[in-house]
Amino acid sequence: MNRTGKLMVLSSVTVALVMSGSVSAGAVGAGAVVVVSAHGAPDTARGRLVSVVHLRTLSAREVAAELRSDEDGAWDAGAVRHGVDTYRVVYRTVDPKGRPTTASGLLAFPRNGERRLRTVSFAHGTELFKEDVASVSSEVWSQAPALTYASAGFAVVLPDYLGLGLGPGRQQWMDIPSETTTALDLLRAADSYAPTIGRQLGRDVFITGFSQGASAALGLARALQEGADPRFRVKALAPVSGAYAFRDVALPALLDGHADPKDGVIYTALALVSFNRLHHVYDSPGEVFRAPYSGTIEGLLDGTHTGQEVMARTPDTVDELLTARGRALLAHPTDGLADALRVTDGVCADWTPQAPVRLYYAEGDEQAVNGNSEHCQASFRARGVEAPLVDLGTPDYGGSRHLGSQRAATAAVVRWFASLG
């Protein structure tokens, strides 16, 4: 969350479609061709494309060079086989109340000549700044999952989530239902777009995600297994370093110092502010946040401030951030917060995966403590599902074990997915 992103060039080659409603040019970005339905009226059907912008064409050599160029930690290029085309899309979806809205995401396709492609859905980790997502940022961190999976021969879809990228409004952090709908609707958008470039998505979807995205990946897998769209079925599921047990593991780790103190401040603030938007956790910020943060924290987490800004304008410890009431609420969640946690903590507890599952983690993760993965494994085991824990060792990315786990897992997961045929 400390990174400063570089933005994709918005004047890239654009591609117009014939299957979506109209929106303002500002909503889709300069250089995008906005598409109108055959009847000239907006089409609000979920998964319908609003715009597509062709961003980049890379050779296999260029993909490998980019993956290896990251100064915070080179990414494994051993699975690179093909060049890659990437596209920014804006598409129709719904907000947490079921009202029509739009979201953005990245699509990536291998330049391998194959028409029918297997698909990887990748859900990203926590980002505080709207533009630090794959459809907008050009950082290697943001691009590496798409480049890795696509260059290995997969079609790849990367949702930005609501309120990030080019999506309107504020993000709904750790709201599993809306993360699920944005991921599902991006799959639908990709499925409709692929034939226009001579490709076709197969039915099998390989699902993975990191940190916040690990829970989002579990949400998508559950939705597809339960028949949310019969065009798609879960082939394999690979969550990485997730916070699967807020009440029993993640929140206690933030309060007792087992997680990195500064990261704990950011996640604590995100949890209270974001959950309050949907579940009424508090009436006034001053109930849970100490001054002066009670007057600034909600605005600071509106998506327009970079990670560096948020880090600089928040305290170093949870006790400096929270009132006694706020700390007590996290220690013993009630009312709206308890309602929110029933959703977040149901990702491993309330269903029985039928596809193969592997849970990836790094030893001594300073943000998503290892007890989260162990808790998820135990929950699945109680329902008769063996979900092996895959120990990634002690990877590092820019001084972070947690971020390093995404880099290490991307290399491991792409090989597992490729081995499944």
Side-chain angles (χ1 to χ4, degrees):
M1 63 179 61
N2 307 355
R3 297 168 294 102
T4 301
K6 299 177 182 177
L7 305 187
M8 292 287 190
V9 177
L10 290 177
S11 59
S12 304
V13 177
T14 59
V15 182
L17 305 179
V18 291
M19 51 186 68
S20 158
S22 60
V23 296
S24 67
V28 298
V33 173
V34 178
V35 188
V36 180
S37 70
H39 301 288
D43 187 340
T44 59
R46 287 177 52 185
R48 289 296 180 94
L49 282 157
V50 174
S51 67
V52 181
V53 178
H54 179 222
L55 295 172
R56 296 196 294 170
T57 295
L58 299 174
S59 67
R61 180 174 295 181
E62 289 170 329
V63 169
E66 181 164 329
L67 291 174
R68 295 178 180 130
S69 71
D70 196 330
E71 294 180 355
D72 286 319
W75 298 70
D76 189 310
V80 174
R81 299 289 182 272
H82 313 288
V84 173
D85 283 298
T86 64
Y87 303 82
R88 178 192 303 116
V89 300
V90 175
Y91 60 99
R92 304 286 183 185
T93 188
V94 291
D95 71 11
K97 297 184 182 299
R99 298 171 299 200
T101 188
T102 59
S104 56
L106 187 77
L107 307 182
F109 295 93
R111 297 177 61 80
N112 61 357
E114 294 184 16
R115 175 173 175 78
R116 187 175 179 86
L117 299 170
R118 297 172 296 167
T119 304
V120 169
S121 175
F122 174 81
H124 65 76
T126 297
E127 297 293 356
L128 301 176
F129 186 45
K130 286 176 67 75
E131 295 169 350
D132 282 345
V133 290
S135 76
V136 181
S137 172
S138 62
E139 280 192 300
V140 181
W141 169 266
S142 301
Q143 297 298 306
L147 297 182
T148 298
Y149 293 113
S151 67
F154 296 92
V156 192
V157 299
L158 296 88
D160 292 336
Y161 310 146
L162 295 178
L164 294 176
L166 302 186
R170 298 181 178 184
Q171 71 160 309
Q172 304 295 334
W173 183 76
M174 287 302 297
D175 179 48
I176 311 304
S178 68
E179 292 167 0
T180 298
T181 55
T182 55
L184 174 59
D185 292 340
L186 183 57
L187 271 174
R188 291 166 167 157
D191 187 57
S192 68
Y193 177 66
T196 70
I197 56 171
R199 318 307 285 271
Q200 181 181 6
L201 301 190
R203 189 180 178 200
D204 290 337
V205 182
F206 299 78
I207 302 175
T208 183
F210 165 68
S211 193
Q212 175 186 350
S215 293
L218 286 157
L220 176 61
R222 179 176 182 174
L224 292 183
Q225 180 174 298
E226 293 176 353
D229 193 317
R231 285 176 291 181
F232 307 110
R233 66 183 174 196
V234 184
K235 179 67 174 179
L237 177 58
V240 180
S241 303
Y244 313 115
F246 265 67
R247 182 189 285 270
D248 293 335
V249 180
L251 290 182
L254 297 181
L255 295 177
D256 65 19
H258 281 85
D260 177 83
K262 186 64 178 186
D263 291 324
V265 167
I266 304 303
Y267 286 126
T268 297
L270 273 172
L272 291 171
V273 170
S274 297
F275 292 158
N276 190 58
R277 292 172 185 159
L278 296 178
H279 300 280
H280 190 205
V281 175
Y282 55 81
D283 291 321
S284 167
E287 296 174 14
V288 294
F289 297 110
R290 294 182 183 274
Y293 311 109
S294 58
T296 60
I297 195 67
E298 290 186 329
L300 198 57
L301 298 177
D302 67 358
T304 67
H305 300 276
T306 66
Q308 288 89 337
E309 290 180 83
V310 176
M311 297 288 277
R313 295 171 60 184
T314 49
D316 293 329
T317 67
V318 168
D319 286 336
E320 293 175 90
L321 176 72
L322 297 179
T323 62
R325 179 177 176 180
R327 200 181 204 288
L329 180 61
L330 290 184
H332 304 286
T334 59
D335 301 325
L337 182 58
D339 292 339
L341 299 189
R342 276 191 286 273
V343 178
T344 61
D345 293 359
V347 292
C348 298
D350 296 340
W351 66 298
T352 305
Q354 296 172 0
V357 183
R358 291 183 178 180
L359 301 168
Y360 292 79
Y361 75 100
E363 296 176 19
D365 190 316
E366 80 283 4
Q367 295 185 36
V369 296
N370 296 159
N372 283 285
S373 296
E374 294 161 0
H375 194 284
C376 183
Q377 183 191 46
S379 296
F380 283 146
R381 182 173 290 154
R383 302 179 73 89
V385 175
E386 283 301 320
L389 294 177
V390 180
D391 185 350
L392 298 165
T394 58
D396 176 85
Y397 182 89
S400 168
R401 185 73 50 79
H402 182 63
L403 300 183
S405 71
Q406 171 167 319
R407 184 171 62 88
T410 301
V413 173
V414 70
R415 287 168 171 82
W416 181 46
F417 284 173
S419 74
L420 297 177

